[in-house]
Amino acid sequence: MAPVRVLPATNATATLDACAAVVDAGGVVALPTRRWYMLCADSGDEAACRALFVAKGRPAAKPLALVMPSDAAVAARFVLSPAAGRLATRLWPGDLALLLPWRRAEDAERHPWLGSGTAMVTRDPWLLGGLAARTRNPPATTVVSRSDGRTPTERAPALAPAAVLAFVEAHDAPVELLVDGGLCPLGVGLTVVDCSAEPTVVRAGAVHPRAVETALREP
């Protein structure tokens, strides 16, 4: 396996262009967020997305997250209720994911690794969002960690570049390029709100539940 190429987050334009080229060619990249490092692949490439499940030991029934480049792109592919629209307007881009119904059944059928009934959709304010704006298809993402890890260390999300490289070496993960963004400060996941019916927080995370409640109450 070829050594992982490491590029700095500081030269964002050139670095993201390089990441987009890898993803569009069917490869996998690792990018930092405020929360932790994420593995990214072309959401329309089944082989690339399946490689993420294998690298993580991730259950096939647990879909990947989808990073969208714009609110318009979200609305074109998914059903946004008025409540979901309020959350998107007030809290995106940010550390929030919405479980949204697919607008077209055929899209769901073509992307089972993203979820059949709903998909976990987010918009990112930093590098993931920049990648989504450059790639042919929105990137599918998952945290750099081992889902079936035997120890807390193996299961812990990678917060620093060294942890990403250790993950790649230990599990032969097919990461071609790593963006070095230093230490991720939050170490907390996305807050996830199920918007398939009445909005419900199904996983607490970086966005406080009171922020979700406030966004939903505002006219």
Side-chain angles (χ1 to χ4, degrees):
M1 188 172 180
V4 178
R5 225 180 354 147
V6 180
L7 295 179
T10 49
N11 189 7
T13 298
T15 293
L16 285 173
D17 286 346
C19 288
V22 171
V23 170
D24 282 345
V28 175
V29 301
L31 271 67
T33 66
R34 298 192 316 145
R35 305 176 307 278
W36 39 52
Y37 279 79
M38 304 292 292
L39 300 170
C40 307
D42 181 344
S43 63
D45 188 322
E46 180 173 5
C49 288
R50 296 297 184 194
L52 300 186
F53 285 87
V54 173
K56 286 178 57 68
R58 185 183 181 90
K62 188 176 181 182
L64 305 172
L66 185 65
V67 182
M68 298 297 286
S70 67
D71 289 352
V74 174
R77 188 172 291 192
F78 299 98
V79 177
L80 272 173
S81 67
R86 286 195 292 275
L87 292 173
T89 298
R90 291 162 174 79
L91 295 172
W92 273 353
D95 299 308
L96 176 75
L98 304 180
L99 294 178
L100 298 174
W102 292 89
R103 188 170 291 280
R104 293 176 291 274
E106 57 268 29
D107 282 348
E109 292 168 1
R110 283 198 299 265
H111 303 86
W113 49 90
L114 298 176
S116 54
T118 61
M120 183 184 296
V121 181
T122 189
R123 291 201 55 228
D124 184 80
W126 190 28
L127 297 175
L128 286 180
L131 180 64
R134 288 167 167 80
T135 48
R136 177 180 56 234
N137 295 307
T141 67
T142 181
V143 64
V144 179
S145 67
R146 189 73 184 178
S147 299
D148 61 354
R150 291 166 294 179
T151 67
T153 299
E154 285 186 330
R155 294 190 298 272
L159 301 182
V164 177
L165 294 174
F167 170 84
V168 170
E169 182 176 357
H171 305 293
D172 200 26
V175 176
E176 296 182 32
L177 195 156
L178 163 64
V179 178
D180 184 347
L183 184 64
C184 303
L186 294 185
V188 178
L190 293 167
T191 294
V192 181
V193 180
D194 187 346
C195 292
S196 58
E198 187 70 20
T200 304
V201 176
V202 294
R203 189 180 77 193
V207 176
H208 197 282
R210 286 180 55 203
V212 174
E213 293 171 7
T214 300
L216 289 170
R217 284 199 308 266
E218 290 181 355

